[in-house]
Amino acid sequence: MKIDRKILDGSSMLYLYLPVLLFLFGWTKWWIAIITSTTLLFCVYRMLMDKLAADDQDDFRLNKIVLLLVVLFFMIVGYFCGWGRWVVQSLDWAKHNTIMQDLTERSWPVYYRNGEEHSMLTYYIAQYLVPAFAGKIFHSYRLAEIINYVWAEIGLILVWLHVVKGIGIRNAVKQCFSAGILVFFSGPLLLAQIMQNLIYSDLGTALLTDWHWLTTREGILLQYSNNFALLRWVYPQVLAIWLILVLFLENKDNVQYYCVLMLPGVIFGTLSFIGLIPLGIGYAGYILVKDRADGFRSWFARVFSLENILTLCTFGIVLVLYFYGNIFSSKPESIGLQKMPYGQYLWIYFIFVIVHVMLYVWCILSDNKKNIILHLAVISLWIIPLFKMGLNNDWGMRCSIPGLFIVMFYVLQYLNKYISAEKVPAIKYAGIGMLLVLLLCGSIYPLRELLEVVRYEDYSTIPDLKDYSYGTMENYANRYEGYPIDLANNYYSYDIENNIFHQYVARKKFVN
């Protein structure tokens, strides 16, 4: 069957911007919502009419059986990731469920009163908004959970379709293989653990017992999350960011639309969005160098295009004011951005990046020596582990999402190009073999985590599907009551009486 690329691009932009529109009309004054949404729709329309996807990219075809099998596979994966609450969920779902329940059952914006503290929910909430809105209309949180499952599945399918299109995967077996890699891609963590333990076992964790971390000792928190873990633990920060990335890869030369394409990422996953920034800025700089014959003025006009300026001056300002009260509020130093305290263990840093990133990159480097996007991703993945932020180093786990996805994309591109191709140089077979070994090694922990969920026996701990309340985030909305510092500081804007967003932008004010 033929997949119309224009319909695919339009559906992808709708996936990104429908939650944005819900946010604008749910959180901001009606005139701000109308002006901002009209401006954004105009910019998106201009982008799509200007053929976001390049003219030389044709429609592509999928075998109907392949599409059916991949959709069924994604549904099974989503089921065991906890989407829809059919099985036991990871610990992060306590947050996901509580936020989505507040968004479903409370009016927007969501305000809290806890003792003397008055606050507003200020978080990257976009992935929850469509399910929560559906649940709000029909007064059913259970419906919101089911819609959440469907909405997340749509996002994952869109990402996969863009991967198949962007790489040009035409073989049915390779298309199925790419779906498996999309879900289970990981750095070979087991190999890194073995190397670490051989050098200094006291710093490491026991092999086959820690599925996510290289080490958490001595204040050194190192994790580049595998794709299954991302989908199971932090899906709201992943799906839209992946979608933005595949659209960016297809249209990286259209710098005049960078803000239109990337800015929604802020409200889907702020730390994930930070990982997008070096790709956008770096490639925009590369375009200046590459097209220097056209002159600086031409480049400047494209960067500061009408679409970029309008997006920044409307939606950008709303986002800045919305997050300002959270980001710049007084918070404990222990959860702020800090240097990673490697000290005498700096060698752990090199093992971590070399094994998780560089082994893959070295295998595909011969085909990507001039691939600026890949080089920018690698540079970011070298820099990110030098810092940490949050009790569990969300900085490292989430800022790395874009860079790791880029590495995965070009690994898939390499395999698609040379597996079963005619007249493949012998050195390429070595690269293919090495990549397959790394992928197999990397898949051990995500597959094991999936198996643990499938084999989980104590289903008495799963909340009743009909009647269950997760409580409310209001329980932790007080900085001075001794709640866990991450819960009390990560999700709120406090002192809202003096908050610019609350005073001048919010659709309705907090009533004491």
Side-chain angles (χ1 to χ4, degrees):
M1 60 179 296
K2 185 175 74 171
I3 306 296
D4 189 313
R5 64 182 179 86
K6 294 180 181 178
I7 294 177
L8 179 60
D9 288 342
S11 300
S12 300
M13 295 304 294
L14 179 63
Y15 192 87
L16 296 176
Y17 271 93
L18 180 56
V20 168
L21 297 178
L22 288 175
F23 169 75
L24 290 171
F25 282 95
W27 263 256
T28 69
K29 296 181 185 296
W30 66 267
W31 60 271
I32 295 176
I34 290 176
I35 292 173
T36 305
S37 60
T38 302
T39 301
L40 291 176
L41 290 174
F42 167 76
C43 293
V44 170
Y45 175 80
R46 285 280 296 261
M47 181 172 61
L48 292 176
M49 291 299 101
D50 199 23
K51 297 182 179 179
L52 180 62
D55 289 336
D56 59 354
Q57 293 185 10
D58 297 324
D59 301 334
F60 66 105
R61 292 186 174 276
L62 286 174
N63 184 289
K64 291 182 180 180
I65 301 299
V66 170
L67 182 59
L68 179 63
L69 289 175
V70 170
V71 170
L72 179 61
F73 169 67
F74 285 159
M75 291 179 66
I76 294 171
V77 168
Y79 177 90
F80 287 111
C81 282
W83 305 348
R85 188 166 53 92
W86 313 105
V87 300
V88 64
Q89 296 173 314
S90 66
L91 294 177
D92 270 20
W93 277 93
K95 171 193 70 178
H96 301 321
N97 291 330
T98 307
I99 291 176
M100 193 161 68
Q101 182 161 299
D102 280 351
L103 290 169
T104 302
E105 298 180 351
R106 290 173 175 248
S107 61
W108 297 351
V110 177
Y111 292 114
Y112 299 119
R113 180 193 294 108
N114 191 336
E116 297 299 319
E117 283 279 45
H118 302 156
S119 59
M120 178 178 66
L121 178 64
T122 306
Y123 195 60
Y124 21 94
I125 55 176
Q127 189 70 32
Y128 307 110
L129 290 181
V130 171
F133 184 68
K136 185 182 292 291
I137 292 175
F138 293 98
H139 305 286
S140 170
Y141 177 67
R142 182 59 191 149
L143 176 64
E145 291 184 303
I146 295 172
I147 298 298
N148 185 47
Y149 175 41
V150 175
W151 186 245
E153 290 290 347
I154 293 172
L156 186 57
I157 292 168
L158 287 173
V159 172
W160 174 71
L161 289 173
H162 278 285
V163 167
V164 171
K165 178 171 79 79
I167 294 176
I169 305 175
R170 295 182 174 83
N171 180 274
V173 174
K174 292 179 182 179
Q175 289 173 348
C176 293
F177 177 75
S178 68
I181 296 300
L182 179 61
V183 171
F184 296 115
F185 180 79
S186 172
L189 175 59
L190 179 61
L191 178 58
Q193 290 175 336
I194 291 172
M195 294 179 64
Q196 176 185 263
N197 284 16
L198 288 174
I199 297 173
Y200 192 80
S201 60
D202 289 343
L203 187 65
T205 54
L207 301 180
L208 300 177
T209 60
D210 196 313
W211 306 343
H212 304 292
W213 296 94
L214 176 57
T215 182
T216 59
R217 306 285 184 86
E218 307 294 333
I220 304 171
L221 307 173
L222 292 177
Q223 178 188 149
Y224 275 172
S225 305
N226 67 70
N227 284 8
F228 181 76
L230 292 172
L231 293 171
R232 182 169 183 246
W233 290 74
V234 291
Y235 76 101
Q237 302 177 50
V238 175
L239 294 171
I241 298 297
W242 283 355
L243 191 55
I244 290 171
L245 278 165
V246 287
L247 288 168
F248 171 70
L249 288 173
E250 294 172 9
N251 308 279
K252 56 184 179 293
D253 290 323
N254 294 332
V255 67
Q256 64 270 29
Y257 300 122
Y258 274 16
C259 290
V260 183
L261 182 58
M262 293 187 174
L263 204 57
V266 176
I267 201 166
F268 279 96
T270 306
L271 289 177
S272 308
F273 173 78
I274 290 174
L276 291 172
I277 293 174
L279 300 179
I281 293 179
Y283 200 80
Y286 168 72
I287 290 175
L288 172 62
V289 175
K290 182 183 69 170
D291 299 338
R292 58 185 177 273
D294 295 336
F296 175 79
R297 287 186 178 180
S298 174
W299 175 86
F300 186 87
R302 292 174 62 196
V303 170
F304 293 92
S305 65
L306 176 65
E307 292 79 11
N308 283 342
I309 291 175
L310 287 176
T311 303
L312 282 174
C313 291
T314 54
F315 188 44
I317 292 176
V318 170
L319 289 176
V320 168
L321 295 177
Y322 175 67
F323 283 106
Y324 184 89
N326 182 320
I327 295 173
F328 294 100
S329 63
S330 177
K331 297 184 180 183
E333 291 185 6
S334 58
I335 63 174
L337 188 64
Q338 310 168 56
K339 284 185 178 181
M340 190 74 78
Y342 288 108
Q344 61 179 317
Y345 301 113
L346 187 59
W347 52 270
I348 289 291
Y349 160 74
F350 289 101
I351 287 178
F352 178 72
V353 181
I354 288 172
V355 174
H356 274 78
V357 180
M358 297 311 298
L359 292 182
Y360 281 122
V361 173
W362 285 331
C363 291
I364 64 176
L365 190 59
S366 59
D367 279 32
N368 292 279
K369 291 180 180 178
K370 297 182 179 181
N371 188 333
I372 302 302
I373 295 292
L374 179 60
H375 295 328
L376 290 169
V378 170
I379 291 171
S380 73
L381 293 171
W382 274 101
I383 294 174
I384 290 168
L386 296 175
F387 305 92
K388 66 176 182 176
M389 186 172 71
L391 290 182
N392 296 307
N393 191 18
D394 291 331
W395 171 270
M397 292 186 287
R398 308 304 164 232
C399 290
S400 60
I401 289 172
L404 292 172
F405 185 89
I406 294 297
V407 172
M408 180 207 72
F409 183 90
Y410 288 112
V411 165
L412 270 174
Q413 185 183 74
Y414 186 94
L415 292 174
N416 177 66
K417 180 178 180 180
Y418 292 112
I419 289 181
S420 73
E422 297 181 1
K423 298 180 180 180
V424 178
I427 190 65
K428 301 299 182 183
Y429 283 115
I432 292 171
M434 182 65 175
L435 285 175
L436 293 177
V437 169
L438 292 173
L439 290 171
L440 182 61
C441 182
S443 69
I444 290 174
Y445 285 149
L447 285 170
R448 181 170 177 177
E449 184 172 358
L450 172 61
L451 184 61
E452 287 294 314
V453 180
V454 173
R455 296 172 58 184
Y456 190 79
E457 297 178 355
D458 188 11
Y459 282 94
S460 63
T461 63
I462 300 177
D464 185 270
L465 294 180
K466 295 181 180 178
D467 302 302
Y468 188 78
S469 175
Y470 294 98
T472 169
M473 293 299 291
E474 190 169 60
N475 294 334
Y476 307 102
N478 192 318
R479 296 168 291 180
Y480 307 115
E481 289 295 323
Y483 299 118
I485 59 176
D486 55 337
L487 289 176
N489 289 275
N490 288 344
Y491 306 98
Y492 316 99
S493 289
Y494 291 107
D495 191 25
I496 57 174
E497 292 80 1
N498 299 311
N499 182 281
I500 296 177
F501 184 90
H502 172 259
Q503 291 294 327
Y504 301 106
V505 181
R507 184 177 66 86
K508 68 180 184 65
K509 293 186 178 181
F510 173 81
V511 178
N512 192 355

